[in-house]
Amino acid sequence: MSILNNFLAQLPFMDENRANIVMTSFAPMLQGAIKYTIPLTVIAFICGIAIALMVAFIRVFPRTNILHHVLYRIALAYVGLIRGTPLLVQLFIIFYGLPSVGITLDPFISAIIGFSLNVGAYASENVRASILSIHKGQWDAGMSMGMSYMQTFRYIILPQAIRVAVPPLSNTFIGLVKDTSLASLVLVTELFKQAQIIAARNYEFMLVYIQAALIYWVICFSLTLLQGRLEKWTGRYIRK
């Protein structure tokens, strides 16, 4: 540790005191990332994708009855409301607004609900666009083989749509990692909240926030590499 401290102290705009701040700040911020940032990202993304699939299916499938028409209108209203309002406002309504009507939620649960609803609205458009991008001839091919509408969708359309949806959904996941920094405003002690606490204690705001930014960058860069491998895997059967 002393060798690393000495190395950091030799860098431009650094001294022994700042080097010590960097070294002592790393563990709390990493703990915030592991305990809150990453779990919040994963849970919210999974819940958001589940919402996105339901909304996309409702909007894509033919509306054959009254119930489906009602669900279609609800899905449209949900997407329009979430996409038309800032994520920060949504988080504030859930965490600070709901207690005024007798509903009090834990900060982490509030963040999960807010991020899940936000991801669900945006990802539903990605999923819907991916399904609609599949040529109509694929539907006709399934029907000509004696498959029902749902069988054609499940075995022919959905696998192709998943491959198309991987890049935009991966970008949504990476963006969600960064968006979780907003959870600090609803009292979730994730990575950025830890950085705020540390910076307020030693007044080295620039140094600590740059360190937090680098940690976010490492996480997002790792996910970008994983995204590339996932795209290759989902496209392994495509004829070159």
Side-chain angles (χ1 to χ4, degrees):
M1 296 291 285
S2 60
I3 297 176
L4 185 55
N5 273 19
N6 292 335
F7 172 76
L8 291 173
Q10 301 303 316
L11 295 176
F13 308 107
M14 293 287 287
D15 53 30
E16 186 175 349
N17 180 55
R18 287 183 169 180
N20 288 331
I21 291 174
V22 170
M23 296 302 298
T24 56
S25 300
F26 181 74
M29 284 194 279
L30 185 62
Q31 181 182 9
I34 294 174
K35 189 175 181 181
Y36 290 107
T37 299
I38 295 175
L40 178 57
T41 302
V42 173
I43 295 172
F45 185 75
I46 292 174
C47 294
I49 290 300
I51 295 172
L53 289 173
M54 289 189 292
V55 172
F57 293 165
I58 289 172
R59 295 186 63 187
V60 168
F61 285 175
R63 298 185 293 279
T64 56
N65 53 57
I66 301 271
L67 177 60
H68 197 168
H69 275 281
V70 172
L71 292 176
Y72 180 82
R73 294 298 178 184
I74 293 174
L76 279 180
Y78 159 69
V79 173
L81 179 63
I82 296 298
R83 294 176 67 190
T85 56
L87 173 57
L88 183 58
V89 174
Q90 297 163 17
L91 290 173
F92 271 47
I93 290 174
I94 294 170
F95 184 69
Y96 296 108
L98 289 181
S100 65
V101 294
I103 303 174
T104 302
L105 299 173
D106 177 81
F108 189 71
I109 299 299
S110 299
I112 288 177
I113 294 173
F115 288 121
S116 297
L117 291 174
N118 193 267
V119 168
Y122 284 93
S124 69
E125 291 297 280
N126 292 331
V127 174
R128 186 173 70 92
S130 299
I131 294 173
L132 295 177
S133 70
I134 306 304
H135 194 275
K136 186 178 181 296
Q138 298 292 312
W139 290 96
D140 296 336
M143 298 295 186
S144 66
M145 294 172 62
M147 292 184 177
S148 66
Y149 186 92
M150 286 301 298
Q151 288 175 326
T152 302
F153 177 79
R154 178 180 176 183
Y155 295 110
I156 297 179
I157 304 302
L158 188 58
Q160 297 180 70
I162 289 175
R163 178 181 58 80
V164 176
V166 164
L169 291 181
S170 298
N171 290 335
T172 299
F173 184 72
I174 294 172
L176 181 59
V177 174
K178 296 174 288 185
D179 287 342
T180 55
S181 60
L182 294 175
S184 64
L185 298 175
V186 293
L187 309 182
V188 178
T189 52
E190 42 70 63
L191 194 162
F192 187 64
K193 184 65 173 181
Q194 291 286 4
Q196 288 178 307
I197 294 172
I198 295 167
R201 192 162 54 227
N202 54 46
Y203 298 102
E204 288 288 353
F205 294 97
M206 177 67 77
L207 180 65
V208 174
Y209 290 158
I210 288 177
Q211 186 178 357
L214 288 174
I215 296 175
Y216 277 113
W217 178 82
V218 169
I219 295 173
C220 292
F221 181 72
S222 301
L223 291 174
T224 300
L225 295 178
L226 182 61
Q227 174 187 351
R229 296 181 64 88
L230 182 60
E231 288 180 17
K232 289 182 179 179
W233 183 77
T234 55
R236 64 193 185 282
Y237 296 124
I238 299 177
R239 181 177 295 177
K240 305 297 182 180

